Amino acid sequence: MLLAVLLATMAALNTLTATELAQRLDSGAATAEGIVRAHLDRIDERDADVLAWSHLAREAALETARMLDRGPRKGLLHGIPMGVKDIIDSHDQPTTYGSPIYRTHQPLADAATVALARDAGAILLGKTVTTEFANRHPGPTKNPHNPAHTPGGSSSGSAAAVADFQSVLATGTQTGGSVIRPAAFCGIVGYKPTYGHFAPAGMKANTEWLDTIGAYARSVEDIALFRAALMAMPFTPVNRLDRPPRIAVAFTHHRDELSPEGTQAVNDAAAAFAKAGAKVKEIDLPAPVRDMTQGQKTLSAFDGPRAHADEARRFPGLLSESLRKDKLEAGSKIDYATWVAARKLGETGRAAVDALFSEIDVILTAPAKGEAPPGLERTGDATFNLLWTYLWMPCVTLPLTKGPTGLPVGIQLVGRQHEDASLLDIAAWARSVLS
């Protein structure tokens, strides 16, 4: 016991969770400035290899830390360093949206999530790399576990920064799989809330019926803390379950696309949960869901020519080929009736899946095909995320094991719409079982 306490005391500040850092700050064992310096040192040591940041606000972060150290505790995130995906506005730091069109862009206001995090005492270290307009064209970020592999996208910089101990917390966005997949590839906890739970004001729109701001951390407890701050509501710690959960294993109709390690991770987790007392059963998702992968792609493409109308009109030569082909050209070919049908399919699918929760508490599924693929030209496949984004359901990914090349492989837990707190309680239980 004494050794554990000693090791915890000696741990570098940048390796601790937000919950642990809050305890250090409250006891006087750490200062906000010391915490920021530890993270800046890690960035200096590692970011030439990871390339997670599009902008680093070194002096501003230190000055904010000193100000916090001079005053009383400001809020839930007092003194906690965070990164913000560079698709989300910040009034005092550039916001480039991953595009050369906006390389000198300086917003006049913070996005809602940035303002709320700062109001809770968070320290914005900088802006993290995003793919172009949070679409498919990748940025320079590398997987911190192996730089020859993608960290995932589009929230690549945020996931890599948290995984590499360069930031405690970070925000991302998900239209298809852009929060959950990078978290799985980088081996951290990722959270995509119920659609609309985090205010989207100040986020560059991609597909408004799908875009969801999400969060990264290295513990479920930190996600709960971060969630309360970003929703401006009282903090409720994760609760101990009064009984093991009822878990439905859903491989979905894309089961054959999973890699062996992706399938094994879900099966191993299901076995561990059953051993811990959970009621586990495999299910087939209701019929409307089979068409929802294409429906998500329809909604996303349809919004392309509309979300990027100004850029396409004034700066077509500065748009990537993938954006022009996958969003602008594809979206221009989708008619109104097809779009409306996709919208209605979402409503039908949500009702059908919601009905399952009379008999289950959570869905266990894969967050990605398997470990991060090699190469930086693509950010991986979002097949195992699109459905849940379309269904507006809250999702958490947890690291579990390593794949054949030693990269992280995780699992995904999906909860009922608007029951995010319960999902986090189950995720905390699951992590304790799997640890």
Side-chain angles (χ1 to χ4, degrees), residues 203-416:
M203 174 188 65
K204 177 71 170 171
N206 191 336
T207 305
E208 292 191 13
W209 294 104
L210 300 171
D211 294 344
T212 307
I213 294 178
Y216 292 112
R218 293 188 298 273
S219 77
V220 177
E221 291 76 12
D222 279 9
I223 292 291
L225 191 73
F226 204 11
R227 172 177 176 262
L230 296 186
M231 293 186 72
M233 65 184 191
F235 169 56
T236 301
V238 291
N239 293 311
R240 185 181 181 88
L241 299 182
D242 55 12
R243 59 167 175 79
R246 299 168 298 172
I247 300 173
V249 180
F251 284 101
T252 82
H253 52 290
H254 295 287
R255 181 175 194 152
D256 292 344
E257 298 175 44
L258 278 171
S259 68
E261 71 267 18
T263 301
Q264 189 66 45
V266 174
N267 284 333
D268 287 351
F273 297 153
K275 187 176 180 180
K279 294 181 179 179
V280 180
K281 64 178 180 179
E282 187 172 336
I283 64 166
D284 291 323
L285 294 171
V289 169
R290 294 195 66 86
D291 299 321
M292 292 189 75
T293 298
Q294 183 55 49
Q296 190 278 344
K297 293 178 180 179
T298 295
L299 290 183
S300 182
F302 182 85
D303 270 14
R306 294 149 185 85
H308 306 298
D310 181 58
E311 293 88 359
R313 181 176 65 88
R314 295 197 294 143
F315 308 102
L318 295 178
L319 299 176
S320 70
E321 181 182 356
S322 65
L323 183 69
R324 291 196 301 267
K325 181 179 178 181
D326 297 337
K327 297 299 290 280
L328 304 184
E329 292 179 19
S332 67
K333 296 174 183 176
I334 298 172
D335 59 30
Y336 175 76
T338 302
W339 177 69
V340 169
R343 289 282 308 279
K344 290 182 176 179
L345 177 62
E347 296 167 5
T348 303
R350 285 175 210 119
V353 174
D354 189 74
L356 298 174
F357 283 83
S358 62
E359 298 181 357
I360 65 172
D361 299 309
V362 72
I363 294 171
L364 166 64
T365 189
K369 288 185 174 182
E371 65 177 10
L376 302 177
E377 300 79 17
R378 295 184 68 251
T379 60
D381 194 315
T383 297
F384 290 90
N385 315 119
L386 302 176
L387 171 62
W388 314 113
T389 308
Y390 195 3
L391 289 168
W392 295 355
M393 298 169 75
C395 307
V396 173
T397 187
L398 303 175
L400 177 63
T401 187
K402 301 290 185 183
T405 68
L407 292 173
V409 178
I411 58 167
Q412 181 175 196
L413 298 173
V414 183
R416 193 175 200 173

Side-chain angles (χ1 to χ4, degrees), residues 119-176:
D119 192 53
I123 300 172
L124 179 51
L125 286 179
K127 307 302 285 293
T128 56
V129 171
T130 175
T131 62
E132 177 194 33
F133 298 120
N135 283 286
R136 297 181 183 178
H137 187 65
T141 307
K142 302 174 183 180
N143 192 304
H145 299 277
N146 185 331
H149 291 248
T150 179
S154 60
S155 308
S156 48
S158 287
V162 173
D164 200 52
F165 304 100
Q166 297 182 29
S167 184
V168 185
L169 304 171
T171 55
T173 66
Q174 180 157 313
T175 305

